[in-house]
Amino acid sequence: MKLKSFLQGFGLFAVLLTLIPLAAADFWWIRMFDYPHIQLTILTFVAIVVYFIKFDVKWVEDYLFVVVLLMCFTFQMYKIFPYLPHGKHEVEKVSENMDQADVLKFYAANVLQKNTNPTLLIKEIEDKDPDILLLTETDTRWMNDVHDAVAKYPYRVEIPINNTYGMLLYSKFEMKNPQKRFLVDDSIPSIHTVLVLRSGKEIMLHAIHPTPPMPQENPTSTDRDAEMMMVAKMALERDLPTIVAGDFNDVAWSASSSLFKDVSSLLDIRKGRGFFNSFNATSFIMKWPLDHFFVSEEFRLVEVKTGENIDSDHYPFYISLSLEPEKAEEQKIEGPTEKQLEKANKQIEDALEEQKEKRSKGE
């Protein structure tokens, strides 16, 4: 009986972890359960299998308990199934007759500000030789550390800040009207610029790194969600093929990321290809995708992969894209609904009001 009670407790724990993220609240202790969804799915599956050790075919309670567990497992699989490598891609593979002048290589890395070993990152930059290089969590020391390694990048936007939200963007492509913006918080930057490819065609890039919902960072997800929604609306109103890249501090299957994708009408390069877990590089079990590339329908994927260990808590993220606007209609998705836009606008308004109150109190 003790074993059965333990198994029931184990199963109820899995059910509880499934239900918590469904709460319509942005407190960190709720939103944090969005992250380990892969692990939760495995945990629930194990709970189902193990419970059959003491399953009693004569007990109605056992049937009900297993049904509840199966419902949780089905819901969990529904959330992560689009990101399994099943081949149903949202961003299609590059065409065989692609024009190399329309291909771009993009490397993004959260370097971990306190990481004092730039050697591994510099080797990665040399090996990957990307056209666009985005580094986050970069302070002045990091900017100086990579100075020689980025000498071949004539175009750059550098925002070194000693608060783990510094951002460095380097490009072999010409930047037009690059902007440093602080969309929600005066200390959290983002970069927005037009890039001119080798072919002369122009694309739009938004690079972001919003704050996570953590007690030592931000007790709610309000600021993160608002910044994501602001950029989503920029992408929705695009006149150029668009890429949004960076450390979102959010997983692809969360309600926030799903709303971002719906509002922006952008495509997720992960769908149908795999998780490409970029965090936590220091843990064997607790891994999930926090770094993202979302692209508009004009792009096709050449290659995607996580990079090598750079002594950070994140793995770098690398993609190669081909700009093929003539095939955009083949993978174009519907725009947001009025309800989705209203929700996005509400999140933005709440965050800006909260920031206004903080400033008035001198926080």
Side-chain angles (χ1 to χ4, degrees), residues 203-313:
I203 64 172
M204 186 70 200
L205 170 65
H206 303 282
I208 64 173
H209 183 201
T211 57
M214 295 177 64
Q216 67 270 33
E217 296 264 357
N218 201 326
T220 71
S221 65
T222 303
D223 288 357
R224 180 199 66 186
D225 297 347
E227 182 167 342
M228 290 171 62
M229 294 312 114
M230 286 179 174
V231 175
K233 291 182 68 177
M234 293 178 198
L236 178 63
E237 298 165 1
R238 58 187 177 263
D239 297 318
L240 295 171
T242 296
I243 300 173
V244 179
D247 175 2
F248 281 41
N249 275 313
D250 196 17
V251 286
W253 48 76
S254 75
S256 299
S257 287
S258 296
L259 183 61
F260 168 86
K261 187 178 177 307
D262 289 334
V263 171
S264 66
S265 294
L266 295 176
L267 311 175
D268 188 343
I269 55 94
R270 277 188 170 94
K271 284 199 169 180
R273 292 188 167 89
F275 297 118
F276 298 98
N277 293 324
S278 60
F279 182 90
N280 184 336
T282 63
S283 173
F284 178 73
I285 297 175
M286 303 305 283
K287 293 182 180 291
W288 40 78
L290 288 189
D291 302 85
H292 302 277
F293 285 104
F294 288 91
V295 302
S296 57
E297 62 273 12
E298 296 90 350
F299 291 99
R300 298 281 173 134
L301 187 71
V302 179
E303 183 181 17
V304 56
K305 58 185 177 182
T306 50
E308 300 297 325
N309 175 31
I310 58 170
D311 274 0
S312 172
D313 53 354

Side-chain angles (χ1 to χ4, degrees), residues 348-359:
I348 294 170
E349 290 169 6
D350 288 347
L352 294 179
E353 184 61 31
E354 186 176 292
Q355 287 295 324
K356 184 179 178 181
E357 290 178 6
K358 287 181 179 179
R359 285 192 290 269

